[in-house]
Amino acid sequence: MGRKGASPTFPKQAGETRDIKNWVERSVWTERMLERLAQSQEQTVWYSLWDKVWNKDNLNQAIFRVTHNKGGAGVDGYRTEQLAKDWAQQCDQLAVELKNGSYQPKPVRRAWIPKLGSSELRPLGIPAVRDRVVQTALRAVMEPIFEREFAEQSYGFRPQRGALQALGRVETLLMSGYTWIVDADLKAYFDTIPHKRLMELVRTRIADGKVLSLLEKYLQAGVMDSMKGWQATPQGTPQGAVVSPLLANLYLNPLDHQMAKAGREMVRYADDFVVCARTEAEAKEALAEIAAWVKEAGLTLHPAKTRIVNAAQKGGFDFLGYHFEQYANDGGKKWPRQKSQFKLRESLRAKLSRSRPGSVRTIASEVNRTLRGWYGYFRWSQSTALQRVDEWTRERIRHILRRRKGRYGMVHARERNEYGIGWFAEQGLISLMRTQAQWLQSREGNH
């Protein structure tokens, strides 16, 4: 636990124990192919992969994953449940179209969603459902080839890796004295990846012309914007497309290896990354190296969001939803960053409008689902951060009860006394602070 009042530490990474056989699509990757993959050297190129893409077993696994992930309809309005219902016919048709080369992906539907805590909007690309299936099948073929070459410090959108591992690595570095942080931000990364250079990276390992052609079709399919109509996509890979995370990781992989070769402690999750250094001078050197690589790669560092900070002091930095500051070898402080807290409150406000009907037990049941989901990721925060969520939630429900009694304005002390912490517990409302305390107690008991 570290010093008194410190946050619980993230789970430690238990070394590199991942087995590729646990996650590859076995209808694609036979034992013989896996043996070749394990034995292959850097110069290995894969020539014959196309029959694996349109393989019906691969397509059947792909439709299962697409329907499980759900998601909206693309430009054709066709939904996942419709495709699942018609799948027997659609699978045969897709296999034939892919095999004979008549398959053509549709433009990606562009949806604009609000940026949290900002008046700006950010684009989200939604491919047609059939295209999502084919992209999933394509990823099953491509991913194992590149995954074995990805750097250790890359955690985003990779099999058997995740954000908590990345956060754990950052915290380990902070408590080991790497408190000078290069907090980098790539401006519109997914939308600005140069196609030519990206395809050159793909071709270093894949020489099957039909696979390469299909990938280029996706990159060049364009987007359909409800306001601007069809637009070409001379660069970038749309966020929301199934293959985009793999391609995004591939494009930044050379930077990962350059940083590792130089002895830099970089931790990356997709396009979100930090470099942890022992001194300010080391951090400045790392930032200069990153800036030079980014420029040469045709990308852009966001000038206002890229900075060097000292995480041993107040102010700190944000990474993957958490805020870190005042770190030393015996621990530090972390809590949900401001945007993460704002997002939770926005979600709860929709359930806690002052005029909403229903008993407090019903309200608590609905709110609990949101709180548990949020807590699952932010349980590693300082308890005071969770206490603030508890207090805010109870106060919103008190406003509902006050309105029902014809009272307006701010909640008074009498409502807080009447509807105290014990009363809310009787109504079934969970307390994140108490839930965390019980969890920590059980962890200590298991050690």
Side-chain angles (χ1 to χ4, degrees), residues 61-203:
Q61 288 297 318
I63 181 63
F64 173 79
R65 289 184 171 87
V66 169
T67 53
H68 178 74
N69 293 334
K70 298 182 180 179
V75 293
D76 56 1
Y78 202 60
R79 305 191 67 83
T80 53
E81 52 266 29
Q82 292 174 273
L83 184 65
K85 184 178 179 181
D86 303 334
W87 179 241
Q89 177 184 348
Q90 289 282 2
C91 182
D92 291 340
Q93 185 176 339
L94 265 179
V96 169
E97 290 179 14
L98 288 165
K99 188 175 181 179
N100 66 25
S102 63
Y103 169 80
Q104 292 291 332
K106 298 182 182 298
V108 171
R109 179 170 72 87
R110 175 174 284 169
W112 292 91
I113 60 177
K115 279 188 176 181
L116 198 60
S118 170
S119 59
E120 298 180 19
L121 299 174
R122 70 178 181 90
L124 179 67
I126 306 175
V129 177
R130 291 175 88 245
D131 294 338
R132 295 209 292 272
V133 172
V134 178
Q135 284 190 32
T136 302
L138 177 62
R139 184 184 64 188
V141 173
M142 293 176 56
E143 189 170 41
I145 295 172
F146 295 106
E147 171 62 25
R148 66 184 299 276
E149 298 181 14
F150 286 162
E152 179 66 21
Q153 67 266 34
S154 169
Y155 293 87
F157 304 105
R158 295 182 60 189
Q160 300 178 338
R161 303 200 126 205
L164 287 179
Q165 290 174 305
L167 290 164
R169 178 59 182 162
V170 167
E171 188 166 60
T172 296
L173 289 166
L174 290 172
M175 292 192 293
S176 299
Y178 292 83
T179 56
W180 283 95
I181 306 299
V182 179
D183 185 7
D185 185 273
L186 292 171
K187 189 174 182 180
Y189 171 60
F190 280 82
D191 296 330
T192 58
I193 298 174
H195 288 174
K196 182 179 179 181
R197 182 167 176 151
L198 173 61
M199 290 305 300
E200 287 173 354
L201 289 170
V202 175
R203 289 189 181 94

Side-chain angles (χ1 to χ4, degrees), residues 381-398:
S381 303
Q382 285 184 283
S383 60
T384 51
L386 304 182
Q387 181 182 13
R388 286 193 293 271
V389 173
D390 288 340
E391 291 173 349
W392 184 89
T393 305
R394 290 193 291 262
E395 196 76 345
R396 291 288 299 189
I397 299 176
R398 290 185 186 113

Side-chain angles (χ1 to χ4, degrees), residues 204-215:
T204 62
R205 298 292 173 263
I206 296 177
D208 188 314
K210 291 183 178 179
V211 171
L212 296 171
S213 176
L214 177 60
L215 193 55

